[in-house]
Amino acid sequence: MQRPFGFWTAVSMVVGFMIGAGIYVLPSDLSQFGWTSVAGWIIAGAGVMTIARVIAELHIKYPKEPSALTISGDVLGLLAVRLIAWSYWFGILVAAAILALAAADYLIFLVSDAGADNWLKPIVATLILSSVVVLNLRGVKGVGRFQVATTVLKLLPLAIVISIVAYLALAMPATYTQTQSEPFMVSLLTPALGVTFFAVLGFEGASLVAQRVSDPERNVVRATMFGLSFVLLLYFLVSTGIVLATPADELRGASAPVATFVSNHAG
C-alpha cells in the first residue's frame, strides 16, 4: 500500500481539517460572551487535547490499522463502528456545506455590494464544493498537495490578524477596554463551550488517513499533537483578539468578522 504522506502532510491534515469555517465566522457568535469566551477556549482546548492523546495512544498500540475508525471496530464491534462511521460521514456532509457557504461569504465580501444578491452565495458555494470533489477524484497525491497549499493559504490571513492583535496590545492597549466586553459569567460558559468545541472539530484528521501516512505510529501521533497545539494557540489569539477589540454590536451578525476586523484596523 502506498504511503505518500509524511509528517508535514499529516500535520496539514490536522491543521486543514480544523481551520475551516469556525475561526472565520465564530467571532460573531462569541461576541456575546465577551471574557467568558476566553475561558471557553481554554476548557475546550484542554478537553480536546485529552481526546487527541487517547487517539494517539491507540495508534501507538495498533500501528497497522488504517484509521481510528477501524480501531474502533476492533474494540467495539462491527455494528458500533458502522454507526460511528455513518454519523461521522453525515457530520462531514453538513460541515462541507457550512464551509462552502462561509468561503462564499468571504469571496463575495471582496466583491463589494455583490452580497446583496441572495442567489450568488449558494452558486459560489456549489462551485467550490464541485471543484473539491473533482480534485479528490483525481487521486490521493493531488489531495495531499492541495491540503498543504490550502493550509498555508488559510494561515496567511490569520497571521495578519495576529499581527494586528499584537500591534493593538503593544501600541493601543486601551482598545481592549474601550469595547466594554461582557465580563466572565459562569452562566454563559456552557453555551460558549458549545461554540468553541465546534471550532476545534477536525483534530482527528491525521488519524483518519493513517493508512496513507508513512511510519503512522510515529507520524500520526506527532502530527496530531503538534497540529492540535498549534491550531489551539492560533484560535485563542485570533478569536480572543477580535472579540475583545471589537464592539459586540459590530461583530454580532457579521458574515465575515475576520475581514471586518482587518478592515477596521488596516483598511
Side-chain angles (χ1 to χ4, degrees):
M1 180 178 293
Q2 292 184 346
R3 294 181 178 271
F5 297 166
F7 170 72
W8 288 111
T9 302
V11 169
S12 75
M13 288 292 174
V14 177
V15 176
F17 270 46
M18 291 185 68
I19 300 179
I23 193 59
Y24 287 103
V25 300
L26 287 188
S28 297
D29 298 322
L30 290 172
S31 61
Q32 61 185 309
F33 302 118
W35 285 95
T36 309
S37 67
V38 178
W41 282 117
I42 294 173
I43 296 173
V48 77
M49 286 292 288
T50 303
I51 299 171
R53 190 62 215 174
V54 172
I55 293 177
E57 291 292 337
L58 287 173
H59 278 287
I60 293 174
K61 187 174 182 179
Y62 303 98
K64 295 184 179 180
E65 290 290 349
S67 75
L69 289 175
T70 57
I71 295 175
S72 299
D74 291 342
V75 176
L76 302 175
L78 187 58
L79 176 60
V81 75
R82 282 178 172 170
L83 292 174
I84 293 171
W86 277 98
S87 60
Y88 190 87
W89 181 67
F90 180 76
I92 288 177
L93 286 179
V94 176
I98 297 172
L99 289 168
L101 289 169
D105 269 329
Y106 274 87
L107 286 173
I108 293 172
F109 183 89
L110 298 176
V111 193
S112 187
D113 297 330
D117 299 319
N118 293 330
W119 53 268
L120 186 59
K121 182 177 176 179
I123 291 177
V124 173
T126 301
L127 289 174
I128 291 171
L129 279 178
S130 301
S131 300
V132 174
V133 169
V134 171
L135 178 70
N136 275 268
L137 291 175
R138 291 176 63 87
V140 68
K141 286 188 177 180
V143 172
R145 296 190 190 100
F146 179 75
Q147 187 71 26
V148 173
T150 52
T151 297
V152 172
L153 289 174
K154 285 189 284 188
L155 291 176
L156 289 177
L158 299 182
I160 294 173
V161 172
I162 292 177
S163 299
I164 296 174
V165 169
Y167 171 78
L168 293 176
L170 295 173
M172 305 170 62
T175 303
Y176 295 99
T177 57
Q178 291 173 349
T179 55
Q180 298 182 339
S181 299
E182 291 291 331
F184 173 79
M185 297 177 63
V186 175
S187 60
L188 294 178
L189 187 56
T190 299
L193 280 172
V195 177
T196 51
F197 264 113
F198 169 78
V200 297
L201 294 176
F203 65 90
E204 70 285 353
S207 67
L208 291 178
V209 295
Q211 63 180 334
R212 300 297 185 188
V213 179
S214 61
D215 194 9
E217 65 269 33
R218 185 166 178 265
N219 285 333
V220 169
V221 172
R222 291 167 61 223
T224 298
M225 302 310 295
F226 176 80
L228 175 57
S229 301
F230 173 74
V231 174
L232 284 175
L233 177 61
L234 192 70
Y235 272 18
F236 181 81
L237 294 175
V238 170
S239 177
T240 301
I242 293 176
V243 169
L244 298 183
T246 310
D249 292 339
E250 187 175 338
L251 272 183
R252 193 175 293 117
S255 60
V258 174
T260 300
F261 174 79
V262 174
S263 297
N264 289 344
H265 297 285

